[in-house]
Amino acid sequence: MTRVETQHDLQRSLEQTFGPHLHAVCERTARALATLGYDGLLVYSGSLLPVFEDDRTYPFEANAPFKVWAPLADAPRSFVWFAPGAAPRLIIERPDDYWYKPAALPQGYWVRYFDVHAVTDRGAARSLLPDLARAAYIGEAFAGLDDWGIGALNPRPLMQRLDYPRAAKSAYELVCLREASRLGALGHVAAAAAFAAGASEFEIELAFLEACGLREQELPYNPIIALNSAGAVLHYQVLDKQAPRERHSLLIDAGAEFAGYASDITRTHSRTAGDFRALIARMDQMQQSLCAGVRAGVDWRDVQLRAHELTAEVLREAGLVRCTAAEAVSTGVTRVFLPHGIGHLLGLEVHDVGGFMRTEQGGEIDRPEDHPHLRLTRVLQPGFVVTMEPGIYFIPQLLEAARADGRARHINWPAVEALAPFGGIRIEDDLAVTASGCENLTREAFASLPVSR
Ligand code: GLY
Ligand code: MN
Ligand code: MN
């Protein structure tokens, strides 16, 4: 079950797994509603957001709690109504419009599980719903919502009960995540070839999009495509249209989306052989050893701490620090080179919900001291999908701060300055946790491609 599937197999897998998936969503929602005394749940797909003083809107992003139910990315102002005991009702807004093309009536493997209705406006949607005095609503407010007589808007106790189990993916969700990984891997192969051919950041993005077959707004997040020292900007967003005269390196963090589910993949490339390319290879080994430790029962906070121990060893072997690995960790030197968290939950959102939740009733698990950017503190369970994304960066602001304090003597400044023009390295894979280990969705996806790397 680890090979990414052919299109035919993909359709069959979706057909086979969606029913049980939706059943599980219905069951857990029914339980949460009963516990909290609601008799139904209304979920909103989201509004189109207007641009200030214009009659255009921003690209539509469906709300994740709506995508939990239906893989509909392109149906603004639509609803799912769920009352335990009946099939969920999908109410799609299809305005009578000749300026924009209304959302298509959905088709495919999932539609037969829904009681589907198309309406021309929200008033017609309301008339398809019962009395909502004991119902809960999840989504943003819209004009007129106050008149719908809804019992509770975005009640936290209900949302927590629905968010918490989203960490563990169903078989259906894993099918979608594998396909998102396959599309992302296709994009990465094309991006690497564009980099080798001398492309600009923008041209590399175009190569990525074309290979995935997705437009920019269909991606799960804005790709980070950084040439040279731009790799040191963690969420670099520029997409320069000019290729730099000297090209040293590419850090590309870009993922694809399938049926609402994301991949989140980073690769780093060096144009020339040398110390930076050797460091990429060493980071790759280190990343793989972190992946090898992932299984159910592992506390993600320990993975974060282990990542710093291994980063310290790599920094020492590469001659970037002058102290022992233990000192590099204890003095905070590793945090100069690795300031972000080692990974996060992945699913309908690239940083999926519930990363800190102690139980489905709420409560948070704190991050380890000195690790403020970690986004996941839970103990892994089978079905969790997480990213594993160690990095080593040469970030001017953090290096300057270290130069000014006691950490300065631990850092080999000439070695750091020699690699600074390369920006940094991140290697990021997506892992599906099992009882005894994990499935590396990203490596499997690359391996499945005709031209794999
Ligand atoms: N692409 C954002 C992240 O890796 O978390
Ligand atoms: Mn990530
Ligand atoms: Mn990423």
Side-chain angles (χ1 to χ4, degrees), residues 207-221:
F208 180 87
L209 293 171
E210 185 177 21
C212 296
L214 296 172
R215 59 198 290 197
E216 199 175 43
Q217 68 198 57
E218 292 173 313
L219 300 183
Y221 58 95

Side-chain angles (χ1 to χ4, degrees), residues 284-300:
D284 195 61
Q285 277 175 3
M286 184 266 241
Q287 194 259 12
Q288 289 292 277
S289 79
L290 283 168
C291 293
V294 169
R295 68 180 62 83
V298 166
D299 185 326
W300 194 253

Side-chain angles (χ1 to χ4, degrees), residues 57-87:
T57 58
Y58 291 101
F60 177 64
E61 280 272 343
N63 295 336
F66 178 84
K67 293 196 292 177
V68 165
W69 292 87
L72 263 184
D74 221 6
R77 299 163 54 101
S78 299
F79 300 90
V80 168
W81 164 249
F82 174 67

